[in-house]
Amino acid sequence: MSWIGKSPNRKEDVRLIRGQGYFVDDKQDYGLLHLHLVRSPYAHAHIINVDVAAAEALPGVICTLTGAEVKELMPESFMELGPEPAANIQDYPMAVGKVIFQGEPVAAVVAETPALAADGGALVDVDYDMLDAVITAEQAMEDEEVLHESAGTNKTWQGVYEYGEVDAAFDEAATVVKIDRMHFHRFASTPVENNAVVAEWKRHGELDFFCNNSFVGFAQQLLAPALGVSVDQMHIKTHDIGGSFGNKISNYTQMAIAALASRKAGGRPVKWAETRTEHLLSSGHGNERTFLDTEVALDKNGVITAVRSRHIDDCGAYPRYEPLGCVIWSQVLPATYGVRNFRIDFSQAVTNKCPAVPNRGYSRMQHLWFMERIIDICAHKLDIPADEMRLRNYITEFPYTTPNGCVYDSGNYPAMLEKAKELIGWDDWKKKQADARAEGRLLGIGIGTTLDSGTNNFGQARIMNPHLPFSGNSEVATIRIDLQGSVIVTLGSGPSGQSHETTTAQVVAEELGINPDLVRVRSGFDTGWNTFVGHSGSYASQFAVTGLSAVHGACEKLKAEMRRLAAFILEASEEDLEFGIGEEGPQLSVKGTDQAVNYWYMGNLVNNDNAVLAGELGDVTLNIRHVYRPPFTVPDVERKYGNLTLTYAAQLHIAVIEIDRDFGHPRILAYAAVDDCGTVINPKIVGGQVHGATAHGIGAAIMETFQYDETGNLLTSSFSDYCPITSMNMPDVQYGSIQTPSPFSYSGAKGMGEGGGAPLHTVSAAVQDALITEGIIVTDSHHSVTSVFELLRSKDESSGVQVDKR
Amino acid sequence: MYPAPFHYHRAESLEGAISLLAELGDSARALAGGQTLLVWMKLRFDEPQHLVDVSRIPGLSEIRQQAGDEVCIGALATHAEIARSAIAEALPNVLDCGSGIADAQIRSRGTIGGALGSADPSCDWPTLLHTFDAVLTCTGPEGTRTIPVSELVEDIYTTILKPAELITEIRFKIPPENSGGAYCGFKRCAPAYPTASAGVQLTLEDDICSAIRIALGSAGLTTITSQEAEAVLQGNPLTEANIDKATEAIVAAADPVPDQRGSEDFKRAVLRTLVKRAIDIAGRRCHGEIIKGHHEYV
């Protein structure tokens, strides 16, 4: 029986649907204290004074921390990934002297209960001297108000990505389309569990964290120097995590505050559990991108030959991890299209807004949206149907090397388009659209093609900062047969809802010829298991490749040991043995005989009863640690050239949207989503992630935005105002898939889960198609009812698009 | 989010609640479902020293129809209880309103009396109750009195209720035959307050409109009504021209506050659509047509 491509019940559900999950805030402990953060109501202000006397006098309050104190306690500020001058930014987890964004912590209160900590927080008196806020990246680039004096500028990164013969392509173009300005808005993924941590800085110097960080391999490398401990002195664990979507990569700053608070409180454990308002205000937003002076060269057939443009990322108050976003988009430089000539001038700037963090579809989504807008705008301007425009431009030969050296492993975009058209009933909707237009109704049909590049080559970080000591990628799994014969697996991935326990059990069951129920996969992550490397974590659509390849490799090594051991016990040759399940459970047997040895016997022999081995097989431990490393090389930093990711899953969505003329309400009438992530390990889990990514993307496209006023005050800091998508807002999704196996992974699987922001491209395309009869060009990614209302109103204004036919 | 410290008192009777509230004065708040109050306390916008929990007072959550076709709803009836009641089955606009408030958790906690007492123009029930000309029974230290719903609210978040005075019952007449009502709200998502809402109640005899009531929610600092708009339709047929004229009159009376749910212009555009839709649904319901008209989400 093969377990690959099946959907056994999720192992995680046994506890999760019974309310037996174990999340950070579930942790209780003797002497546990609670931490409350006092946050700045202002986006940009000098801190004149922080008075904690009244808070400290409150019975039940154990201690407080201020920014100045945090600076004293930390041997150095957090490392910034970017190069100088941004590398000089003094980045502490609490504001020191100056507040850079609304919601930035300015003090912490530690008390016996969460309520007392909050009461203490209300007694902290902070004097501020307000400064003008810098709200847009374009404004920040002018450097009139410099946010970080230590950097001396708001421009934290700049680089030009140039490939091919750009100017020649423009000289030869039949048509040049110019788009003045486009903008991808700010939102995040709203994990159901907020950030949380319990830190315990033990008196003997070791530091324990029970947390929900989703990239511990990386976080530990930032925490250790900033806290003045070695990586090995920190014991970091996770268990169940209620979603991360990249957002929880960056909660190491709050982990540091909790650790310092525990140390000040004499080593008592300290819990910090974020509220939803804190999460929306200050935990991390997805990055916002502005595209300026875009020019697109096309030949006479509507095939795009070159793109040149200027892109600016707004990374909020602190760059931290974020300069990586200045490179990560180039994993998908030409999107799904065969464009060979590019010049993209890419910059990043700090603003007085919440720091940007990785967010589902991180950095590639913004660029893919940009490329899809180009396709649709050019199609409309050249009067080429949107489906035809894509078919003329899609990449069709694989593996495909992009102009910047990335290798698209496999794919079949025309087949996906065909399948999505079938699911939605394309021809029928085309007729309905013609009828609607005849009646003056605004009905649009939009296509979005996107990529979900996975298993990244960290060497791309050096394109952003050549001094970074990162490259390649890796993940770890351990597998052992314990002394009772159980199969035990531990993972380095620290999942947050991606069902790693289930898919791991499927791979192990497949390899050992047993049942997933017989495989125990430990939940969560624990540095104490020794199952981690610097890349360990759940991010960037990679577990099906990195994690499961580690599991697969570990299985192969374990099987080799088991064969040798069983051959010795059964006095048989290794070639005659087969894996399977017998009357006494999982076993190895001699083919065609009733001779067999079960796992219990083998586990006991190695761990308990080794004199029987009479000194043989001394290297067999049945305890395997395997590290998977994808075959990457370090990119050429000067040329910004190299293979940046191993696999390229693809999504193709189609939406039908009708816009209410009276007040702009965009109603989704039909929606189809087609996914290709190569060989599917578990269709139910893939389907779940496709639906989740679709919901996130539709939410982002029509509802969710972090809207700031000119003083840097966040107007959407509660669910009532941010309006994350709910089932009431979801259309029925017609879901289908194709499979183009990756030649670069052992199983043909590709990493998936982020979804590439397909609904954003698709909804923008459908809104564009609905409004094209009004002469309106869509240049923003947010289509809330209010923004569509404004679009309808603005139809007389210039769209900022010019077409130059040669 | 944790509220500032407070003392909790559970009232066992109406009299007990009133005397406790009178004794504790300004430092006390009556707690029913907590839909509004607890949120304010958790945000520390309000820091009362005492909460008097009235939610378990017996006899105040009954929903019944009594002689003279009068509907009586106890102030402690929850949104969900009302939406599930025989009244909601008989009056579809009561169902439209009650089943569209917030999400299931809030509907099972929040009460109709609390929604009225909070004097929040975004609450749904006050808008609907204006279209029924409902009357509120209120009891305080000085005894019991009745207040028409249109007189309850003085200003945003401010009622004419006296200290320690509580709303105990909401009463209105079941409209006669050939009547229909509608309540249409537009909101971004379940936990959001409506961007705007409109309630309409009318009677049609030989296509002539009478007993017309139109009210708007989230359209100003208090519930918005317009005698001018009602006069346009009263005694006249529901022609497109009349509907347009009435709609323009009430939308002109609205005074929507621009916020993150939309600009003033946008909200007027939404109101215009909702009023027309509600008049249309109410008119068709007069003829016995079964129409599902609930809150609409983005």
Side-chain angles (χ1 to χ4, degrees):
Chain A
M1 157 116 200
S2 172
W3 289 101
I4 304 302
K6 301 284 190 318
S7 299
N9 286 338
R10 291 201 330 146
K11 288 177 100 68
E12 294 86 347
D13 286 343
V14 173
R15 60 179 188 282
L16 292 176
I17 64 173
R18 291 175 175 158
Q20 294 165 345
Y22 185 49
F23 297 86
V24 174
D25 206 14
D26 291 326
K27 186 171 173 63
Q28 297 300 327
D29 214 342
Y30 178 74
L32 182 66
L33 297 172
H34 300 267
L35 184 142
H36 174 86
L37 291 172
V38 177
R39 296 176 181 278
S40 170
Y42 305 114
H44 197 198
H46 284 300
I47 299 171
I48 307 300
N49 186 42
V50 181
D51 184 353
V52 293
E56 292 201 327
L58 184 72
V61 169
I62 303 299
C63 64
T64 61
L65 279 174
T66 63
E69 214 175 341
V70 163
K71 187 181 178 199
E72 284 294 306
L73 292 169
M74 285 172 59
E76 51 188 78
S77 72
F78 282 121
M79 181 177 80
E80 300 297 297
L81 293 191
E84 290 186 346
N88 300 327
I89 286 175
Q90 296 292 295
D91 180 4
Y92 290 96
M94 216 177 262
V96 180
K98 193 180 178 196
V99 166
I100 314 287
F101 67 102
Q102 186 186 44
E104 185 170 10
V106 292
V109 178
V110 180
E112 296 285 354
T113 69
L116 281 168
D119 290 348
L123 297 173
V124 173
D125 191 13
V126 187
D127 282 346
Y128 298 95
D129 186 8
M130 260 181 89
L131 298 164
D132 287 341
V134 178
I135 296 308
T136 68
E138 287 151 286
Q139 186 191 351
M141 300 274 281
E142 289 163 15
D143 270 343
E144 275 178 21
E145 182 87 35
V146 174
L147 309 191
H148 295 281
E149 280 165 29
S150 47
T153 173
N154 297 327
K155 288 174 259 185
T156 46
W157 198 81
Q158 191 270 335
V160 177
Y161 293 78
E162 182 159 1
Y163 308 97
E165 301 294 331
V166 180
D167 295 333
F170 274 91
D171 289 344
E172 291 162 16
T175 311
V176 174
V177 175
K178 297 180 181 176
I179 309 163
D180 291 350
R181 186 177 190 276
M182 295 197 276
H183 176 250
F184 189 93
H185 74 292
R186 192 173 250 258
F187 57 89
S189 288
T190 322
V192 71
E193 180 203 23
N194 291 320
N195 291 301
V197 61
V198 176
E200 183 176 4
W201 202 321
K202 295 176 176 170
R203 288 185 211 187
H204 55 72
E206 301 219 335
L207 176 51
D208 284 4
F209 287 108
F210 182 51
C211 66
N212 54 18
N213 186 280
S214 56
F215 190 1
V216 173
F218 175 74
Q220 62 180 355
Q221 299 180 57
L222 292 176
L223 282 165
L227 294 174
V229 294
S230 73
V231 163
D232 191 56
Q233 278 174 299
M234 293 190 300
H235 180 193
I236 309 183
K237 290 168 66 169
T238 71
H239 197 271
D240 290 312
I241 299 179
S244 165
F245 315 105
N247 300 172
K248 284 178 180 152
I249 288 175
S250 303
N251 62 20
Y252 61 86
T253 59
Q254 292 98 332
M255 290 169 71
I257 295 176
L260 296 171
S262 170
R263 191 164 82 174
K264 192 170 179 192
R268 288 174 69 177
V270 171
K271 181 191 280 184
W272 173 72
E274 187 179 53
T275 65
R276 184 56 68 179
T277 298
E278 287 179 293
H279 184 84
L280 292 170
L281 186 64
S282 57
S283 81
H285 297 169
N287 67 11
E288 183 179 351
R289 192 168 294 167
T290 306
F291 310 90
L292 298 171
D293 308 326
T294 301
E295 293 181 301
V296 187
L298 299 104
D299 72 10
K300 61 182 187 330
N301 298 317
V303 173
I304 297 177
T305 55
V307 175
R308 54 189 180 200
S309 187
R310 207 150 60 80
H311 300 178
I312 310 173
D313 259 11
D314 169 357
C315 73
Y318 293 92
R320 294 181 180 157
Y321 190 91
E322 192 50 31
L324 285 179
C326 298
V327 177
I328 284 175
W329 64 272
S330 67
Q331 295 170 6
V332 292
L333 172 76
T336 51
Y337 306 108
V339 189
R340 298 304 306 177
N341 307 297
F342 280 94
R343 185 190 300 131
I344 308 285
D345 181 339
F346 201 103
S347 308
Q348 184 195 56
V350 285
T351 60
N352 291 120
K353 296 194 283 199
C354 178
V357 301
N359 181 43
R360 194 172 203 164
Y362 181 40
S363 186
R364 294 97 89 208
M365 161 174 66
Q366 288 83 342
H367 184 70
L368 290 155
W369 178 84
F370 164 78
M371 291 297 289
E372 287 293 276
R373 292 308 319 119
I374 284 180
I375 283 280
D376 279 313
I377 291 172
C378 291
H380 280 300
K381 289 293 172 191
L382 300 181
D383 217 14
I384 301 170
D387 53 341
E388 177 59 30
M389 183 73 180
R390 285 175 169 80
L391 289 170
R392 290 184 198 179
N393 282 280
Y394 277 148
I395 293 163
T396 51
E397 300 286 324
F398 296 91
Y400 177 83
T401 303
T402 66
N404 60 330
C406 292
V407 182
Y408 288 6
D409 50 347
S410 61
N412 189 342
Y413 314 133
M416 294 175 80
L417 179 59
E418 203 48 46
K419 182 141 201 161
K421 281 178 161 184
E422 206 176 289
L423 284 171
I424 205 147
W426 177 269
D427 295 338
D428 199 30
W429 276 114
K430 277 288 182 194
K431 284 191 201 102
K432 286 181 190 164
Q433 182 182 40
D435 295 346
R437 282 184 174 164
E439 292 168 22
R441 284 156 54 208
L442 304 172
L443 192 135
I445 307 172
I447 301 167
T449 321
T450 201
L451 294 169
D452 188 354
S453 48
T455 302
N456 58 323
N457 176 358
F458 276 85
Q460 67 199 279
R462 295 190 189 177
I463 292 174
M464 184 273 296
N465 181 355
H467 304 297
L468 289 177
F470 313 133
S471 70
N473 198 333
S474 51
E475 192 50 282
V476 195
T478 69
I479 185 164
R480 63 194 167 90
I481 306 294
D482 76 359
L483 55 80
Q484 292 179 312
S486 301
V487 182
I488 313 291
V489 185
T490 63
L491 303 173
S493 57
S496 47
Q498 302 91 338
S499 318
H500 292 180
E501 293 166 46
T502 305
T503 48
T504 295
Q506 285 177 260
V507 167
V508 174
E510 177 84 6
E511 290 303 311
L512 297 181
I514 59 175
N515 184 307
D517 291 344
L518 296 169
V519 181
R520 174 170 146 74
V521 185
R522 285 200 188 152
S523 309
F525 172 94
D526 190 334
T527 54
W529 297 336
N530 190 28
T531 309
F532 68 97
V533 283
H535 303 117
S536 284
S538 278
Y539 56 90
S541 295
Q542 62 177 26
F543 181 75
V545 176
T546 56
L548 292 182
S549 293
V551 170
H552 179 256
C555 280
E556 287 193 320
K557 288 181 181 170
L558 178 69
K559 282 166 75 176
E561 284 199 359
M562 291 172 81
R563 272 197 209 97
R564 287 172 61 205
L565 187 60
F568 174 83
I569 296 164
L570 297 170
E571 296 178 350
S573 98
E574 285 184 40
E575 296 76 51
D576 293 338
L577 296 175
E578 64 184 359
F579 286 84
I581 303 181
E583 283 176 10
E584 292 178 336
Q587 64 175 21
L588 273 87
S589 58
V590 182
K591 282 178 207 161
T593 73
D594 58 359
Q595 285 181 287
V597 57
N598 69 15
Y599 286 14
W600 175 83
Y601 189 88
M602 287 191 280
N604 189 64
L605 203 63
V606 169
N607 292 296
N608 243 357
D609 194 15
N610 59 40
V612 173
L613 291 170
E616 296 291 317
L617 301 175
D619 59 328
V620 169
T621 60
L622 301 185
N623 186 353
I624 307 293
R625 178 180 189 272
H626 182 76
V627 180
Y628 166 74
R629 294 191 187 104
F632 285 129
T633 55
V634 178
D636 179 337
V637 171
E638 287 300 310
R639 290 168 60 215
K640 298 186 173 65
Y641 187 95
N643 192 13
L644 308 184
T645 24
L646 195 67
T647 63
Y648 287 81
Q651 288 76 32
L652 196 145
H653 292 198
I654 299 181
V656 181
I657 292 180
E658 177 157 9
I659 291 170
D660 174 310
R661 267 189 190 277
D662 295 330
F663 65 100
H665 185 185
R667 290 186 188 85
I668 301 179
L669 305 181
Y671 201 95
V674 173
D675 178 74
D676 173 13
C677 59
T679 304
V680 171
I681 311 287
N682 183 316
K684 188 163 46 173
I685 288 166
V686 166
Q689 299 214 37
V690 169
H691 280 82
T694 302
H696 262 154
I698 293 176
I702 64 172
M703 304 174 71
E704 305 170 30
T705 178
F706 289 116
Q707 194 187 336
Y708 282 90
D709 70 13
E710 69 282 359
T711 67
N713 177 44
L714 181 62
L715 301 172
T716 52
S717 62
S718 76
F719 272 2
S720 300
D721 296 320
Y722 183 70
C723 293
I725 190 160
T726 67
S727 58
M728 306 297 284
N729 308 99
M730 268 301 278
D732 285 336
V733 176
Q734 307 297 319
Y735 165 53
S737 66
I738 70 163
Q739 296 191 17
T740 61
S742 174
F744 303 147
S745 67
Y746 90 88
S747 61
K750 303 179 184 187
M752 61 86 59
E754 292 191 77
L760 284 139
H761 324 329
T762 310
V763 171
S764 285
V767 169
Q768 174 70 87
D769 195 45
L771 298 181
I772 196 69
T773 52
E774 306 292 296
I776 295 168
I777 295 292
V778 169
T779 55
D780 196 285
S781 55
H782 193 50
H783 309 292
S784 67
V785 57
T786 46
S787 48
V788 177
F789 177 79
E790 296 304 331
L791 259 186
L792 277 168
R793 287 285 181 104
S794 69
K795 63 182 168 188
D796 296 333
E797 290 170 25
S798 158
S799 64
V801 177
Q802 298 98 44
V803 180
D804 178 7
K805 287 201 174 158
R806 309 262 172 94
Chain B
M1 295 208 286
Y2 295 92
F6 58 88
H7 296 280
Y8 173 86
H9 311 266
R10 182 183 296 164
E12 305 294 343
S13 67
L14 182 60
E15 298 70 31
I18 290 166
S19 66
L20 196 54
L21 284 166
E23 184 190 320
L24 297 169
D26 268 357
S27 67
R29 301 280 179 279
L31 172 70
Q35 183 192 357
T36 304
L37 179 59
L38 293 188
V39 174
W40 282 51
M41 287 173 63
K42 283 162 86 173
L43 292 168
R44 298 194 181 218
F45 291 163
D46 194 5
E47 299 189 3
Q49 288 166 31
H50 299 272
L51 282 191
V52 178
D53 183 351
V54 300
S55 67
R56 306 199 194 190
I57 296 174
L60 289 188
S61 57
E62 218 181 319
I63 305 165
R64 65 182 199 280
Q65 192 176 334
Q66 64 186 30
D69 277 347
E70 193 171 48
V71 171
C72 300
I73 302 175
L76 291 178
T78 64
H79 311 319
E81 284 165 353
I82 301 168
R84 280 197 304 266
S85 69
I87 302 298
E89 219 167 294
L91 301 171
N93 45 341
V94 173
L95 177 65
D96 297 345
C97 181
S99 63
I101 296 172
D103 50 34
Q105 291 96 319
I106 285 174
R107 287 197 292 276
S108 69
R109 295 271 318 166
T111 65
I112 189 168
L116 287 162
S118 67
D120 182 336
S122 300
C123 284
D124 294 281
W125 287 124
T127 313
L128 179 83
L129 292 172
H130 270 78
T131 69
F132 283 124
D133 287 332
V135 172
L136 317 176
T137 306
C138 304
T139 305
E142 291 164 31
T144 297
R145 61 171 171 157
T146 55
I147 303 173
V149 69
S150 57
E151 289 171 22
L152 176 71
V153 175
E154 202 167 54
D155 200 351
I156 187 165
Y157 309 133
T158 313
T159 66
I160 62 162
L161 292 176
K162 298 195 170 129
E165 191 175 23
L166 295 171
I167 302 168
T168 57
E169 194 171 59
I170 295 94
R171 285 184 288 125
F172 59 87
K173 292 266 192 218
I174 295 220
E177 287 213 11
N178 304 323
S179 297
Y183 182 80
C184 299
F186 179 78
K187 54 197 230 174
R188 303 286 306 281
C189 63
Y193 281 111
T195 301
S197 66
V200 169
Q201 182 67 46
L202 55 88
T203 305
L204 275 184
E205 266 177 85
D206 300 330
D207 287 334
I208 298 299
C209 199
S210 63
I212 173 88
R213 285 285 176 271
I214 311 178
L216 307 181
S218 305
L221 298 184
T222 58
T223 304
I224 302 294
T225 55
S226 160
Q227 289 182 354
E228 191 191 333
E230 290 168 2
V232 171
L233 295 175
Q234 181 70 31
N236 289 313
L238 286 183
T239 59
E240 201 176 320
N242 286 338
I243 293 173
D244 282 351
K245 206 170 156 197
T247 301
E248 288 314 316
I250 191 149
V251 170
D255 190 12
V257 182
D259 57 17
Q260 56 279 10
R261 287 197 281 276
S263 63
E264 186 185 330
D265 278 357
F266 169 74
K267 289 185 175 185
R268 286 190 195 280
V270 177
L271 284 165
R272 206 167 274 125
T273 303
L274 294 178
V275 170
K276 286 183 187 170
R277 187 183 297 163
I279 294 173
D280 175 59
I281 293 173
R284 286 153 66 196
R285 280 177 176 165
C286 290
H287 299 305
E289 204 176 319
I290 309 281
I291 302 157
K292 288 198 172 166
H294 43 69
H295 282 58
E296 187 172 14
Y297 299 83
V298 160

